[in-house]
Structure formats: C-alpha cells, structure tokens
Amino acid sequence: MNIWDVVIIGGGPIGIACGLEAQKKGLSYVILEKGPIVNSLYNYPDKMQFFSSSERLEIDDIPFISTEAKPKRDEALEYYRRIVTSNKLHINLFEEVINIQKEQNVFTISSNKTTYNATQIVIATGFYDIPNLLQVPGEGLKKVTHYYKNPHYYSGQKVAVIGASNSSVDAALECWRKGAEVTLIIRGTEIGPRVKYWVRPDIINRIEEGSISVHYNTTVKEITPNTIVIENTDGATVLQNDFVIALTGYRPNFKFLEMAGIELSQDEKKLPKYNPNTMETNVSGLYLAGVICGGMETHKWFIENSRIHAIQIMSSILQNK
C-alpha cells in the first residue's frame, strides 16, 4: 500500500503553496483539485481586478508581474498555472474528495476516481463553492444565478443585482455599461464599506445620477418568471425583471469539515478548531490552510495573509515524521 506523507485537498493558491513547500521539504505529496487549477479564481468574473497588488498575491517568493499594480483574473490564472507546470507539481485535476476516514495513524481519502492513503492531510478548499441562498420562492428559477461571469449576456435586459459587496457593485456597473437596466437591492443602508476604493465613487455617482436604481434596507420576498418582489419599511414592491444576480456571499463546506472530524464553534461563525502555530486541527495529522480557517468570517483570510500557512504546516509535518 502506497502511503503519501501528505495529501493536499484543494488546488487554489494556498493549496499550491502547500505543494511547493512539501516538495521543497522532500515530502511525498499529491494535490487533489475538484476542478481546474485554481478553480475558484477560474470561476471569478472575467474582468475582475484584485484588491491586492500583485506582489501580495505571490507565493514562494515567485515574482508575479502584472500590467497594472493590481492584477486581473486572467493574469492570476496565468501566474498560478505557470507555477504548477514549471515546478512540475503533483496535482490531480477534476478529482473531488468524497470521504475521509482515519484508522490508527493513516488516513484513507476517497475521491470520485480512486483512493489514497496518507499520514497527514491538508484541507485548503476555500469557500467559493456554496452560495448563501436567499431562501425565497423562485430562487431555483433558471433566470437566477449566484455567480457572475460576463455582462454581455444581460445586455438589453432588466437585471436585479442583490448585494452591496465588491462582486455586486462590479456586476451592476458592468451590466449597466453593456446596456442592461440595473436595479441594486441592498439589505443594509449603504454600499458596502469594503468596496474597492477606486470603484466606490463610480457606483455612488451612477446611483445619484439615476443610471442605476437602488433599494436600500430591502429584502427579496419572491422571484417569479417575469418579476421580483421586494420589501422594505414602505411595504412590498413588484419590479419587472428578466434576470437576478444574487451575489450574497459564499460559505465553506462545513459538512465536509465535520465529516473529517473537525470541531466547529457552536455560534454563527462556525470557526474550525486548530492550532494557530501549526494549523493542525483537533484531528491529529489533519491541517487547515487558507480562507477556510475563518469559518463564516470569509473576509478574514486572504492569499497574502495565509501564504505562511504552507510553511507552518510542512514544518510541523516534518517534525512529526
């Protein structure tokens, strides 16, 4: 039976960083990614620009050269892909982990393709897979999406964008500029405070001039094939509508973590239990890396402040080997 030193679940930037560090330390490893390389980044909007500068997105001190200080999605895809290929990382793509079991000191990792055995596991799966649902009638209609890619699709259509974050604001502005009639629906009192500083004045100006409609302190009550019903302190309003882009955030796969035996806090934050010095969880030999460490607080961990996890984890694994 072949037993790996470490199986890394998730082939995003931090999973790749863990693979690089394992390779440098002489550990046998494999990265399992359920989609393409950096699957989450691939599913970002086509023209998305990062809030962070390129050097803050670098891993393993490998230079990230971009045409602007803050790189765009396609540049990031190229950067991380080249790291994988040029370093000949052991990564198996389009392979989803289904189950994790531990017997004595060996983990059995079952995927949709095969089974692996390892003495250590790193979970670096991010949080972009499971949308926070509106939980309203009509949310399952084909016209509703929780992901946004390209504005061309919505040209000439009545589009409701739900949310006040960077993704919502970008979608609203891009769709409006491609000829959509855009309505922003925001649960709070204003555009989100963490919206990119160079974008915030743009959306505020478009709202003030009436180019983009906005409803603050408003929730969605129902979605029908031709309308969306919203509600605030003035009561319910029915808007004519062709498409709904509900960008209400995402959450880690907590069921997957619990299946692996990781303890979560009992409050709404659902923080996983781990040692911040080694990143090892309450399950001996099972580590967490990246944004998944923050539970529902998905704004706490980014590439730039979780790159160090790879070094912490592989150092701990080497000491325990």
Side-chain angles (χ1 to χ4, degrees):
M1 179 175 65
N2 180 41
I3 300 179
W4 299 87
D5 289 328
V6 56
V7 168
I8 300 162
I9 303 172
I14 303 305
I16 291 171
C18 288
L20 286 169
E21 193 64 23
Q23 192 164 273
K24 286 165 60 178
K25 292 287 197 298
L27 298 167
S28 64
Y29 74 94
V30 63
I31 304 170
L32 305 179
E33 168 55 61
K34 73 176 185 178
I37 297 169
V38 290
N39 180 61
S40 292
L41 299 191
Y42 176 78
N43 287 307
Y44 282 177
D46 291 346
K47 303 297 183 182
M48 193 209 78
Q49 187 170 27
F50 285 85
F51 191 90
S52 301
S53 58
S54 56
E55 66 269 15
R56 294 177 69 83
L57 300 177
E58 292 173 356
I59 55 176
D60 201 41
D61 295 323
I62 299 170
F64 184 172
I65 308 301
S66 56
T67 56
E68 301 178 55
K70 300 178 187 300
K72 295 187 177 179
R73 166 188 171 272
D74 285 355
E75 293 175 308
L77 293 181
E78 180 70 9
Y79 172 70
Y80 295 115
R81 182 184 65 80
R82 291 295 297 272
I83 287 177
V84 168
T85 56
S86 63
N87 288 278
K88 297 181 173 57
L89 290 184
H90 302 144
I91 183 168
N92 294 346
L93 302 172
F94 299 98
E95 184 163 356
E96 182 175 5
V97 173
I98 306 300
N99 191 39
I100 297 171
Q101 296 290 330
K102 186 179 183 183
E103 186 173 343
Q104 296 182 344
N105 294 320
V106 177
F107 292 95
T108 299
I109 303 99
S110 302
S111 76
N112 60 336
K113 294 184 178 181
T114 189
T115 299
Y116 302 84
N117 296 108
T119 55
Q120 319 279 339
I121 296 178
V122 178
I123 298 179
T125 49
F127 71 99
Y128 201 57
D129 294 330
I130 304 175
N132 291 324
L133 299 180
L134 299 170
Q135 305 287 357
V136 299
E139 189 170 12
L141 290 172
K142 187 177 179 180
K143 75 173 195 174
V144 181
T145 181
H146 294 276
Y147 295 90
Y148 166 76
K149 290 292 290 182
N150 191 293
H152 173 83
Y153 187 78
Y154 303 102
S155 180
Q157 302 297 292
K158 293 180 173 63
V159 179
V161 179
I162 303 170
S165 63
N166 277 298
S167 56
S168 304
V169 168
D170 285 345
L173 287 168
E174 289 183 10
C175 289
W176 170 72
R177 290 198 162 95
K178 296 301 181 184
E181 182 182 320
V182 177
T183 300
L184 263 173
I185 300 169
I186 297 174
R187 185 173 54 183
T189 60
E190 62 176 350
I191 297 296
R194 287 192 291 270
V195 168
K196 291 171 280 196
Y197 64 84
W198 65 93
V199 175
R200 190 180 179 87
D202 190 3
I203 187 65
I204 290 174
N205 288 338
R206 302 295 76 75
I207 290 170
E208 288 181 350
E209 72 186 15
S211 297
I212 293 177
S213 300
V214 65
H215 295 269
Y216 295 113
N217 299 309
T218 298
T219 57
V220 177
K221 303 306 292 181
E222 184 181 4
I223 302 168
T224 76
N226 299 305
T227 67
I228 181 169
V229 182
I230 60 176
E231 186 174 60
N232 53 34
T233 54
D234 295 326
T237 302
V238 180
L239 304 176
Q240 292 300 304
N241 172 260
D242 298 308
F243 291 99
V244 176
I245 305 174
L247 303 177
T248 49
Y250 308 91
R251 61 176 60 211
N253 189 338
F254 294 117
K255 289 184 179 179
F256 182 79
L257 296 182
E258 290 175 322
M259 174 272 296
I262 297 173
E263 295 178 10
L264 305 177
S265 66
Q266 297 304 302
D267 56 16
E268 69 279 358
K269 294 180 180 180
K270 292 186 175 294
L271 297 171
K273 186 175 182 179
Y274 66 91
N275 182 333
N277 296 315
T278 64
M279 308 309 295
E280 189 172 20
T281 68
N282 58 282
V283 180
S284 177
L286 199 164
Y287 298 79
L288 296 181
V291 70
I292 198 164
C293 299
M296 285 298 293
E297 295 184 314
T298 55
H299 61 283
K300 291 294 182 69
W301 290 102
F302 304 95
I303 296 171
E304 57 259 42
N305 68 353
S306 58
R307 295 175 294 189
I308 189 65
H309 292 171
I311 296 173
Q312 293 174 275
I313 291 168
M314 297 309 155
S315 296
S316 175
I317 289 175
L318 202 60
Q319 289 174 3
N320 295 333
K321 189 176 178 183

